[in-house]
Amino acid sequence: MALQRGNLILVDANVIIEAHRVRRWKGMANQFRLVTVAEVFKETQTGHQNRTEEQNIDPALLREQLSQIAEVSKTELATMDIYFPDHGLDPGEHHLVAFARTFEEPAWLLNSPDIGTIRVCSQAGWLDQLISLEAMATALGMPHGTKLRGNYTEAWLRRQVNKFRFGLG
């Protein structure tokens, strides 16, 4: 599936923080339907003492810019744990992938720079639905003035996806 403006993209806390750091969040929020879960939203508001100024995120503004902040039920989390008992995901990613499992829209993309999430997506058959932060910015014609960290690039994501696709991950 080709990435287009208006696509729905599920995002984790790391992606939100990095997009703020490189000053691409606002443009992406205006062009894509960015969705997350309450646990990820909470994670965007912790750890401020370890962040640069541009990585500190105004919660009210973030709430406005996201298309949805979903609540994930205990049943959805338990179902996720049944299907992926050794997922090893942090709480935000756990909630996000549990939500993704219940999502009814036919096309969606999951953006996460984390190997654990990629592993679970591989097990779920979702490797083709992963998208990098770099690919999102490129699709919008946004220049990469501030360099993205390595695990947010398209090259990094494709290497990881291929490792899992060929049983090397």
Side-chain angles (χ1 to χ4, degrees):
M1 169 175 150
L3 181 64
Q4 301 173 17
R5 284 177 164 83
N7 278 143
L8 174 93
I9 302 174
L10 294 144
V11 293
D12 77 2
N14 292 321
V15 167
I16 294 169
I17 293 165
E18 181 71 357
H20 276 83
R21 185 185 75 80
V22 297
R23 295 178 171 85
R24 298 294 175 265
W25 177 259
K26 185 178 178 184
M28 290 178 188
N30 287 334
Q31 297 297 319
F32 296 115
R33 293 182 295 144
L34 303 178
V35 172
T36 199
V37 293
E39 187 66 27
V40 165
F41 184 86
K42 184 172 88 176
E43 288 178 359
T44 68
Q45 300 306 304
T46 60
H48 293 282
Q49 68 278 7
N50 298 322
R51 295 188 191 158
T52 61
E53 181 64 30
E54 61 273 5
Q55 290 174 303
N56 288 322
I57 301 165
D58 178 322
L61 187 57
L62 180 60
R63 200 175 289 283
E64 285 177 23
Q65 293 168 331
L66 288 162
S67 295
Q68 180 182 3
I69 302 171
E71 292 291 337
V72 179
S73 73
K74 289 180 182 179
T75 301
E76 291 164 343
L77 292 170
T79 301
M80 164 82 181
D81 293 343
I82 290 168
Y83 283 97
F84 307 103
D86 299 322
H87 60 75
L89 300 176
D90 74 28
E93 293 162 340
H94 182 207
H95 284 233
L96 189 64
V97 176
F99 175 66
R101 290 195 73 257
T102 68
F103 212 76
E104 294 182 14
E105 187 161 338
W108 56 270
L109 302 160
L110 182 70
N111 188 325
S112 177
D114 182 88
I115 299 245
T117 303
I118 296 169
R119 181 183 331 97
V120 172
C121 288
S122 175
Q123 293 168 354
W126 299 341
L127 287 177
D128 292 333
Q129 292 169 274
L130 293 169
I131 191 74
S132 69
L133 185 57
E134 179 181 44
M136 291 170 63
T138 299
L140 298 176
M142 298 173 119
H144 302 293
T146 304
K147 187 173 169 94
L148 289 166
R149 291 187 174 105
N151 57 332
Y152 297 92
T153 64
E154 187 64 14
W156 181 88
L157 179 61
R158 289 304 128 215
R159 277 193 308 275
Q160 302 313 315
V161 164
N162 286 334
K163 283 180 186 177
F164 283 98
R165 189 167 273 138
F166 297 112
L168 304 172

Short mmCIF file of all heavy atoms in Angstrom, two decimals, residues 83-147:
data_model
loop_
_atom_site.label_atom_id
_atom_site.label_comp_id
_atom_site.label_asym_id
_atom_site.label_seq_id
_atom_site.Cartn_x
_atom_site.Cartn_y
_atom_site.Cartn_z
N TYR A 83 -2.38 -14.27 22.06
CA TYR A 83 -1.83 -14.47 20.72
C TYR A 83 -0.32 -14.27 20.66
O TYR A 83 0.36 -14.89 19.85
CB TYR A 83 -2.51 -13.54 19.71
CG TYR A 83 -3.88 -14.01 19.32
CD1 TYR A 83 -5.01 -13.50 19.93
CD2 TYR A 83 -4.05 -14.99 18.34
CE1 TYR A 83 -6.27 -13.94 19.59
CE2 TYR A 83 -5.31 -15.45 17.98
CZ TYR A 83 -6.42 -14.91 18.62
OH TYR A 83 -7.66 -15.36 18.28
N PHE A 84 0.20 -13.39 21.50
CA PHE A 84 1.64 -13.08 21.50
C PHE A 84 2.16 -13.13 22.94
O PHE A 84 2.51 -12.11 23.51
CB PHE A 84 1.88 -11.70 20.89
CG PHE A 84 1.25 -11.53 19.53
CD1 PHE A 84 0.07 -10.82 19.39
CD2 PHE A 84 1.82 -12.12 18.41
CE1 PHE A 84 -0.52 -10.66 18.14
CE2 PHE A 84 1.23 -11.97 17.17
CZ PHE A 84 0.05 -11.25 17.03
N PRO A 85 2.21 -14.31 23.54
CA PRO A 85 2.54 -14.41 24.97
C PRO A 85 3.94 -13.90 25.35
O PRO A 85 4.14 -13.45 26.46
CB PRO A 85 2.40 -15.90 25.27
CG PRO A 85 2.50 -16.59 23.94
CD PRO A 85 1.99 -15.62 22.93
N ASP A 86 4.87 -13.95 24.43
CA ASP A 86 6.23 -13.50 24.72
C ASP A 86 6.56 -12.20 24.00
O ASP A 86 7.69 -11.99 23.57
CB ASP A 86 7.24 -14.59 24.31
CG ASP A 86 7.02 -15.89 25.06
OD1 ASP A 86 6.70 -15.82 26.27
OD2 ASP A 86 7.16 -16.96 24.45
N HIS A 87 5.58 -11.31 23.89
CA HIS A 87 5.78 -10.10 23.09
C HIS A 87 6.87 -9.18 23.64
O HIS A 87 7.58 -8.55 22.89
CB HIS A 87 4.48 -9.32 22.90
CG HIS A 87 3.84 -8.86 24.16
ND1 HIS A 87 4.32 -7.80 24.90
CD2 HIS A 87 2.74 -9.32 24.81
CE1 HIS A 87 3.55 -7.61 25.94
NE2 HIS A 87 2.59 -8.52 25.93
N GLY A 88 7.03 -9.06 24.94
CA GLY A 88 8.08 -8.24 25.53
C GLY A 88 7.98 -6.75 25.23
O GLY A 88 8.97 -6.04 25.33
N LEU A 89 6.82 -6.28 24.86
CA LEU A 89 6.66 -4.87 24.52
C LEU A 89 6.51 -4.02 25.78
O LEU A 89 6.01 -4.48 26.80
CB LEU A 89 5.41 -4.68 23.65
CG LEU A 89 5.40 -5.43 22.32
CD1 LEU A 89 4.06 -5.24 21.61
CD2 LEU A 89 6.55 -4.99 21.43
N ASP A 90 6.94 -2.76 25.67
CA ASP A 90 6.70 -1.84 26.79
C ASP A 90 5.20 -1.52 26.83
O ASP A 90 4.48 -1.84 25.88
CB ASP A 90 7.59 -0.60 26.70
CG ASP A 90 7.17 0.40 25.63
OD1 ASP A 90 5.98 0.49 25.27
OD2 ASP A 90 8.05 1.14 25.15
N PRO A 91 4.70 -0.94 27.91
CA PRO A 91 3.25 -0.74 28.04
C PRO A 91 2.61 0.02 26.88
O PRO A 91 1.55 -0.37 26.39
CB PRO A 91 3.11 0.03 29.36
CG PRO A 91 4.30 -0.41 30.16
CD PRO A 91 5.40 -0.57 29.15
N GLY A 92 3.23 1.10 26.41
CA GLY A 92 2.64 1.86 25.32
C GLY A 92 2.52 1.04 24.04
O GLY A 92 1.48 1.04 23.38
N GLU A 93 3.60 0.35 23.68
CA GLU A 93 3.57 -0.49 22.48
C GLU A 93 2.59 -1.64 22.64
O GLU A 93 1.89 -2.00 21.69
CB GLU A 93 4.98 -1.00 22.18
CG GLU A 93 5.93 0.10 21.77
CD GLU A 93 7.38 -0.30 21.90
OE1 GLU A 93 7.69 -1.26 22.64
OE2 GLU A 93 8.22 0.37 21.28
N HIS A 94 2.54 -2.22 23.83
CA HIS A 94 1.60 -3.30 24.12
C HIS A 94 0.17 -2.84 23.86
O HIS A 94 -0.60 -3.50 23.15
CB HIS A 94 1.79 -3.75 25.57
CG HIS A 94 0.94 -4.89 26.00
ND1 HIS A 94 0.58 -5.06 27.32
CD2 HIS A 94 0.36 -5.91 25.33
CE1 HIS A 94 -0.18 -6.14 27.43
NE2 HIS A 94 -0.32 -6.66 26.23
N HIS A 95 -0.17 -1.68 24.40
CA HIS A 95 -1.52 -1.13 24.20
C HIS A 95 -1.77 -0.79 22.73
O HIS A 95 -2.86 -1.05 22.22
CB HIS A 95 -1.71 0.12 25.07
CG HIS A 95 -1.92 -0.18 26.52
ND1 HIS A 95 -2.99 0.32 27.22
CD2 HIS A 95 -1.22 -0.93 27.40
CE1 HIS A 95 -2.94 -0.11 28.47
NE2 HIS A 95 -1.86 -0.86 28.60
N LEU A 96 -0.76 -0.21 22.07
CA LEU A 96 -0.94 0.19 20.67
C LEU A 96 -1.17 -1.01 19.76
O LEU A 96 -2.07 -1.00 18.92
CB LEU A 96 0.28 0.99 20.20
CG LEU A 96 0.16 1.66 18.83
CD1 LEU A 96 -0.93 2.72 18.83
CD2 LEU A 96 1.50 2.27 18.42
N VAL A 97 -0.39 -2.07 19.95
CA VAL A 97 -0.56 -3.26 19.11
C VAL A 97 -1.86 -3.98 19.47
O VAL A 97 -2.56 -4.49 18.58
CB VAL A 97 0.67 -4.19 19.19
CG1 VAL A 97 0.44 -5.47 18.40
CG2 VAL A 97 1.91 -3.48 18.68
N ALA A 98 -2.24 -3.99 20.74
CA ALA A 98 -3.53 -4.57 21.12
C ALA A 98 -4.67 -3.81 20.43
O ALA A 98 -5.62 -4.42 19.94
CB ALA A 98 -3.71 -4.54 22.64
N PHE A 99 -4.57 -2.50 20.38
CA PHE A 99 -5.57 -1.69 19.68
C PHE A 99 -5.55 -2.00 18.18
O PHE A 99 -6.60 -2.15 17.55
CB PHE A 99 -5.33 -0.20 19.93
CG PHE A 99 -6.24 0.70 19.16
CD1 PHE A 99 -7.61 0.72 19.41
CD2 PHE A 99 -5.74 1.53 18.18
CE1 PHE A 99 -8.45 1.54 18.69
CE2 PHE A 99 -6.57 2.36 17.46
CZ PHE A 99 -7.94 2.37 17.71
N ALA A 100 -4.35 -2.11 17.60
CA ALA A 100 -4.24 -2.40 16.17
C ALA A 100 -4.94 -3.71 15.81
O ALA A 100 -5.55 -3.81 14.75
CB ALA A 100 -2.76 -2.46 15.77
N ARG A 101 -4.88 -4.68 16.69
CA ARG A 101 -5.53 -5.97 16.44
C ARG A 101 -7.04 -5.83 16.29
O ARG A 101 -7.68 -6.64 15.64
CB ARG A 101 -5.25 -6.96 17.58
CG ARG A 101 -3.83 -7.44 17.64
CD ARG A 101 -3.67 -8.66 18.51
NE ARG A 101 -4.24 -9.82 17.83
CZ ARG A 101 -5.43 -10.36 18.11
NH1 ARG A 101 -6.17 -9.90 19.06
NH2 ARG A 101 -5.85 -11.40 17.44
N THR A 102 -7.62 -4.82 16.92
CA THR A 102 -9.08 -4.67 16.89
C THR A 102 -9.54 -3.67 15.84
O THR A 102 -10.73 -3.49 15.64
CB THR A 102 -9.60 -4.17 18.25
OG1 THR A 102 -9.15 -2.83 18.47
CG2 THR A 102 -9.14 -5.07 19.38
N PHE A 103 -8.60 -3.03 15.18
CA PHE A 103 -8.94 -1.94 14.28
C PHE A 103 -9.69 -2.47 13.07
O PHE A 103 -9.29 -3.45 12.48
CB PHE A 103 -7.66 -1.22 13.86
CG PHE A 103 -7.90 0.22 13.60
CD1 PHE A 103 -8.07 1.10 14.64
CD2 PHE A 103 -8.01 0.69 12.31
CE1 PHE A 103 -8.31 2.42 14.43
CE2 PHE A 103 -8.27 2.01 12.07
CZ PHE A 103 -8.41 2.89 13.12
N GLU A 104 -10.77 -1.82 12.72
CA GLU A 104 -11.62 -2.31 11.65
C GLU A 104 -11.39 -1.64 10.31
O GLU A 104 -11.83 -2.15 9.29
CB GLU A 104 -13.09 -2.17 12.06
CG GLU A 104 -13.42 -3.08 13.22
CD GLU A 104 -14.87 -3.02 13.63
OE1 GLU A 104 -15.69 -2.48 12.87
OE2 GLU A 104 -15.17 -3.54 14.72
N GLU A 105 -10.73 -0.49 10.28
CA GLU A 105 -10.48 0.18 9.01
C GLU A 105 -9.59 -0.72 8.15
O GLU A 105 -8.62 -1.28 8.63
CB GLU A 105 -9.82 1.53 9.23
CG GLU A 105 -9.71 2.33 7.96
CD GLU A 105 -9.50 3.80 8.21
OE1 GLU A 105 -9.86 4.28 9.29
OE2 GLU A 105 -8.99 4.46 7.31
N PRO A 106 -9.91 -0.88 6.87
CA PRO A 106 -9.19 -1.84 6.04
C PRO A 106 -7.71 -1.54 5.81
O PRO A 106 -6.93 -2.45 5.63
CB PRO A 106 -9.95 -1.82 4.71
CG PRO A 106 -10.72 -0.56 4.72
CD PRO A 106 -10.97 -0.21 6.15
N ALA A 107 -7.33 -0.28 5.83
CA ALA A 107 -5.93 0.04 5.57
C ALA A 107 -5.40 0.92 6.68
O ALA A 107 -5.98 1.94 7.01
CB ALA A 107 -5.80 0.75 4.23
N TRP A 108 -4.32 0.51 7.28
CA TRP A 108 -3.68 1.33 8.29
C TRP A 108 -2.19 1.02 8.31
O TRP A 108 -1.77 -0.02 7.82
CB TRP A 108 -4.29 1.14 9.68
CG TRP A 108 -4.31 -0.28 10.15
CD1 TRP A 108 -5.31 -1.18 9.96
CD2 TRP A 108 -3.29 -0.97 10.86
NE1 TRP A 108 -4.96 -2.39 10.51
CE2 TRP A 108 -3.73 -2.29 11.08
CE3 TRP A 108 -2.04 -0.60 11.34
CZ2 TRP A 108 -2.96 -3.23 11.74
CZ3 TRP A 108 -1.28 -1.54 12.01
CH2 TRP A 108 -1.76 -2.84 12.21
N LEU A 109 -1.44 1.93 8.86
CA LEU A 109 0.00 1.77 8.93
C LEU A 109 0.43 1.97 10.37
O LEU A 109 -0.10 2.82 11.08
CB LEU A 109 0.69 2.83 8.05
CG LEU A 109 0.26 2.78 6.58
CD1 LEU A 109 0.57 4.08 5.89
CD2 LEU A 109 0.95 1.63 5.88
N LEU A 110 1.36 1.18 10.83
CA LEU A 110 1.85 1.29 12.20
C LEU A 110 3.27 1.82 12.17
O LEU A 110 4.13 1.25 11.51
CB LEU A 110 1.81 -0.09 12.88
CG LEU A 110 2.25 -0.13 14.33
CD1 LEU A 110 1.22 0.56 15.21
CD2 LEU A 110 2.45 -1.55 14.78
N ASN A 111 3.50 2.90 12.87
CA ASN A 111 4.82 3.53 12.86
C ASN A 111 5.48 3.34 14.22
O ASN A 111 5.03 3.92 15.20
CB ASN A 111 4.66 5.02 12.53
CG ASN A 111 5.98 5.70 12.32
OD1 ASN A 111 6.97 5.39 12.97
ND2 ASN A 111 6.02 6.65 11.42
N SER A 112 6.51 2.53 14.27
CA SER A 112 7.26 2.31 15.50
C SER A 112 8.70 1.98 15.15
O SER A 112 8.95 1.16 14.28
CB SER A 112 6.67 1.16 16.30
OG SER A 112 7.45 0.92 17.45
N PRO A 113 9.65 2.61 15.83
CA PRO A 113 11.06 2.33 15.56
C PRO A 113 11.63 1.25 16.48
O PRO A 113 12.81 1.26 16.80
CB PRO A 113 11.71 3.69 15.85
CG PRO A 113 10.91 4.19 17.02
CD PRO A 113 9.49 3.74 16.73
N ASP A 114 10.81 0.33 16.92
CA ASP A 114 11.21 -0.63 17.95
C ASP A 114 11.20 -2.05 17.39
O ASP A 114 10.22 -2.47 16.79
CB ASP A 114 10.24 -0.50 19.13
CG ASP A 114 10.63 -1.42 20.26
OD1 ASP A 114 11.44 -1.03 21.11
OD2 ASP A 114 10.10 -2.55 20.28
N ILE A 115 12.28 -2.78 17.63
CA ILE A 115 12.39 -4.16 17.12
C ILE A 115 11.30 -5.06 17.70
O ILE A 115 10.78 -5.92 17.01
CB ILE A 115 13.79 -4.73 17.47
CG1 ILE A 115 14.84 -3.86 16.80
CG2 ILE A 115 13.90 -6.20 17.11
CD1 ILE A 115 15.69 -4.44 15.76
N GLY A 116 10.95 -4.87 18.98
CA GLY A 116 9.90 -5.70 19.58
C GLY A 116 8.58 -5.54 18.86
O GLY A 116 7.87 -6.53 18.60
N THR A 117 8.23 -4.32 18.50
CA THR A 117 6.99 -4.09 17.76
C THR A 117 7.07 -4.72 16.38
O THR A 117 6.11 -5.33 15.91
CB THR A 117 6.69 -2.58 17.65
OG1 THR A 117 6.62 -2.04 18.97
CG2 THR A 117 5.37 -2.33 16.94
N ILE A 118 8.22 -4.60 15.74
CA ILE A 118 8.39 -5.19 14.41
C ILE A 118 8.26 -6.71 14.51
O ILE A 118 7.64 -7.35 13.66
CB ILE A 118 9.73 -4.77 13.78
CG1 ILE A 118 9.74 -3.25 13.56
CG2 ILE A 118 9.98 -5.51 12.47
CD1 ILE A 118 11.10 -2.69 13.18
N ARG A 119 8.81 -7.31 15.56
CA ARG A 119 8.70 -8.76 15.76
C ARG A 119 7.22 -9.17 15.86
O ARG A 119 6.79 -10.12 15.20
CB ARG A 119 9.44 -9.21 17.01
CG ARG A 119 9.38 -10.72 17.24
CD ARG A 119 10.04 -11.21 18.52
NE ARG A 119 11.16 -10.44 19.01
CZ ARG A 119 11.08 -9.51 19.98
NH1 ARG A 119 9.93 -9.23 20.56
NH2 ARG A 119 12.16 -8.85 20.38
N VAL A 120 6.46 -8.47 16.69
CA VAL A 120 5.04 -8.80 16.85
C VAL A 120 4.30 -8.58 15.53
O VAL A 120 3.45 -9.39 15.14
CB VAL A 120 4.40 -8.00 18.00
CG1 VAL A 120 2.89 -8.18 18.04
CG2 VAL A 120 5.02 -8.42 19.33
N CYS A 121 4.62 -7.50 14.83
CA CYS A 121 3.98 -7.25 13.53
C CYS A 121 4.31 -8.35 12.53
O CYS A 121 3.47 -8.74 11.73
CB CYS A 121 4.38 -5.88 12.99
SG CYS A 121 3.62 -4.51 13.89
N SER A 122 5.52 -8.87 12.61
CA SER A 122 5.89 -9.99 11.75
C SER A 122 5.03 -11.21 12.08
O SER A 122 4.49 -11.86 11.18
CB SER A 122 7.37 -10.33 11.95
OG SER A 122 7.72 -11.48 11.21
N GLN A 123 4.89 -11.51 13.35
CA GLN A 123 4.07 -12.66 13.77
C GLN A 123 2.62 -12.48 13.36
O GLN A 123 1.93 -13.46 13.07
CB GLN A 123 4.18 -12.85 15.28
CG GLN A 123 5.56 -13.27 15.73
CD GLN A 123 5.75 -13.18 17.24
OE1 GLN A 123 4.90 -12.69 17.97
NE2 GLN A 123 6.91 -13.63 17.70
N ALA A 124 2.14 -11.24 13.33
CA ALA A 124 0.75 -10.95 12.96
C ALA A 124 0.55 -10.85 11.46
O ALA A 124 -0.58 -10.72 10.99
CB ALA A 124 0.30 -9.66 13.64
N GLY A 125 1.64 -10.87 10.69
CA GLY A 125 1.53 -10.74 9.23
C GLY A 125 1.34 -9.30 8.77
O GLY A 125 0.77 -9.05 7.72
N TRP A 126 1.86 -8.35 9.56
CA TRP A 126 1.67 -6.93 9.26
C TRP A 126 2.93 -6.23 8.76
O TRP A 126 2.99 -5.00 8.76
CB TRP A 126 1.20 -6.19 10.51
CG TRP A 126 -0.09 -6.64 11.10
CD1 TRP A 126 -1.08 -7.36 10.50
CD2 TRP A 126 -0.53 -6.38 12.43
NE1 TRP A 126 -2.12 -7.56 11.38
CE2 TRP A 126 -1.80 -6.98 12.57
CE3 TRP A 126 0.02 -5.70 13.51
CZ2 TRP A 126 -2.52 -6.92 13.76
CZ3 TRP A 126 -0.70 -5.64 14.69
CH2 TRP A 126 -1.97 -6.25 14.80
N LEU A 127 3.95 -6.95 8.34
CA LEU A 127 5.20 -6.29 7.96
C LEU A 127 5.01 -5.24 6.86
O LEU A 127 5.68 -4.21 6.85
CB LEU A 127 6.24 -7.31 7.52
CG LEU A 127 6.86 -8.14 8.65
CD1 LEU A 127 7.82 -9.18 8.08
CD2 LEU A 127 7.57 -7.25 9.66
N ASP A 128 4.10 -5.50 5.93
CA ASP A 128 3.88 -4.56 4.84
C ASP A 128 3.15 -3.30 5.29
O ASP A 128 3.01 -2.35 4.52
CB ASP A 128 3.11 -5.22 3.70
CG ASP A 128 3.93 -6.29 3.00
OD1 ASP A 128 5.17 -6.18 3.02
OD2 ASP A 128 3.34 -7.23 2.45
N GLN A 129 2.66 -3.29 6.51
CA GLN A 129 1.92 -2.14 7.02
C GLN A 129 2.77 -1.23 7.91
O GLN A 129 2.27 -0.27 8.46
CB GLN A 129 0.68 -2.61 7.77
CG GLN A 129 -0.33 -3.25 6.81
CD GLN A 129 -1.43 -3.94 7.55
OE1 GLN A 129 -1.30 -5.11 7.92
NE2 GLN A 129 -2.50 -3.22 7.79
N LEU A 130 4.05 -1.52 8.02
CA LEU A 130 4.95 -0.68 8.81
C LEU A 130 5.48 0.47 7.95
O LEU A 130 5.77 0.27 6.77
CB LEU A 130 6.12 -1.51 9.35
CG LEU A 130 5.75 -2.57 10.37
CD1 LEU A 130 6.92 -3.50 10.62
CD2 LEU A 130 5.27 -1.93 11.65
N ILE A 131 5.59 1.63 8.55
CA ILE A 131 6.06 2.81 7.84
C ILE A 131 7.03 3.57 8.74
O ILE A 131 6.85 3.62 9.94
CB ILE A 131 4.87 3.70 7.40
CG1 ILE A 131 5.30 4.78 6.44
CG2 ILE A 131 4.14 4.29 8.57
CD1 ILE A 131 5.61 4.27 5.07
N SER A 132 8.05 4.13 8.13
CA SER A 132 9.04 4.90 8.91
C SER A 132 8.63 6.37 9.00
O SER A 132 7.89 6.87 8.17
CB SER A 132 10.42 4.79 8.25
OG SER A 132 10.43 5.51 7.03
N LEU A 133 9.17 7.03 9.99
CA LEU A 133 8.96 8.47 10.13
C LEU A 133 9.54 9.20 8.92
O LEU A 133 8.95 10.14 8.39
CB LEU A 133 9.61 8.96 11.43
CG LEU A 133 9.41 10.41 11.81
CD1 LEU A 133 7.94 10.77 11.92
CD2 LEU A 133 10.11 10.68 13.15
N GLU A 134 10.67 8.73 8.44
CA GLU A 134 11.29 9.34 7.26
C GLU A 134 10.37 9.23 6.05
O GLU A 134 10.20 10.20 5.30
CB GLU A 134 12.62 8.67 6.96
CG GLU A 134 13.31 9.25 5.73
CD GLU A 134 14.62 8.55 5.43
OE1 GLU A 134 14.69 7.31 5.50
OE2 GLU A 134 15.58 9.29 5.14
N ALA A 135 9.74 8.08 5.84
CA ALA A 135 8.84 7.90 4.70
C ALA A 135 7.63 8.83 4.81
O ALA A 135 7.15 9.35 3.80
CB ALA A 135 8.38 6.45 4.60
N MET A 136 7.14 9.04 6.04
CA MET A 136 6.02 9.96 6.22
C MET A 136 6.42 11.37 5.81
O MET A 136 5.70 12.06 5.08
CB MET A 136 5.56 9.95 7.67
CG MET A 136 4.88 8.66 8.10
SD MET A 136 4.61 8.59 9.89
CE MET A 136 3.49 9.96 10.14
N ALA A 137 7.58 11.83 6.27
CA ALA A 137 8.06 13.18 5.94
C ALA A 137 8.30 13.31 4.44
O ALA A 137 7.93 14.31 3.82
CB ALA A 137 9.32 13.50 6.72
N THR A 138 8.88 12.29 3.84
CA THR A 138 9.16 12.30 2.41
C THR A 138 7.86 12.36 1.60
O THR A 138 7.76 13.11 0.63
CB THR A 138 9.99 11.07 2.02
OG1 THR A 138 11.23 11.12 2.73
CG2 THR A 138 10.26 11.02 0.52
N ALA A 139 6.85 11.61 2.01
CA ALA A 139 5.57 11.60 1.31
C ALA A 139 4.93 12.98 1.30
O ALA A 139 4.18 13.32 0.39
CB ALA A 139 4.61 10.59 1.95
N LEU A 140 5.24 13.78 2.31
CA LEU A 140 4.68 15.13 2.40
C LEU A 140 5.60 16.18 1.79
O LEU A 140 5.28 17.37 1.81
CB LEU A 140 4.41 15.48 3.87
CG LEU A 140 3.38 14.59 4.58
CD1 LEU A 140 3.28 14.98 6.04
CD2 LEU A 140 2.03 14.66 3.88
N GLY A 141 6.75 15.75 1.28
CA GLY A 141 7.70 16.69 0.70
C GLY A 141 8.38 17.56 1.74
O GLY A 141 8.81 18.66 1.44
N MET A 142 8.48 17.04 2.97
CA MET A 142 9.11 17.81 4.04
C MET A 142 10.61 17.57 4.01
O MET A 142 11.06 16.43 4.03
CB MET A 142 8.57 17.37 5.40
CG MET A 142 7.09 17.60 5.58
SD MET A 142 6.54 16.87 7.13
CE MET A 142 5.94 18.34 7.94
N PRO A 143 11.40 18.65 3.97
CA PRO A 143 12.85 18.47 3.97
C PRO A 143 13.32 17.92 5.32
O PRO A 143 12.67 18.11 6.33
CB PRO A 143 13.38 19.89 3.75
CG PRO A 143 12.27 20.78 4.23
CD PRO A 143 10.99 20.03 3.99
N HIS A 144 14.43 17.24 5.28
CA HIS A 144 14.99 16.65 6.49
C HIS A 144 16.10 17.55 7.02
O HIS A 144 17.27 17.19 7.02
CB HIS A 144 15.52 15.24 6.22
CG HIS A 144 14.48 14.32 5.69
ND1 HIS A 144 13.41 13.92 6.44
CD2 HIS A 144 14.32 13.76 4.48
CE1 HIS A 144 12.65 13.12 5.72
NE2 HIS A 144 13.17 13.02 4.53
N GLY A 145 15.73 18.74 7.47
CA GLY A 145 16.70 19.70 7.99
C GLY A 145 17.42 19.18 9.22
O GLY A 145 18.64 19.21 9.30
N THR A 146 16.68 18.67 10.18
CA THR A 146 17.27 18.07 11.35
C THR A 146 17.33 16.57 11.09
O THR A 146 16.34 15.94 10.75
CB THR A 146 16.42 18.35 12.61
OG1 THR A 146 16.28 19.76 12.74
CG2 THR A 146 17.05 17.77 13.85
N LYS A 147 18.50 16.00 11.26
CA LYS A 147 18.70 14.59 10.94
C LYS A 147 17.93 13.67 11.89
O LYS A 147 18.02 13.81 13.11
CB LYS A 147 20.19 14.27 10.99
CG LYS A 147 20.52 12.89 10.51
CD LYS A 147 22.02 12.72 10.43
CE LYS A 147 22.38 11.29 10.21
NZ LYS A 147 22.57 10.88 8.89
#
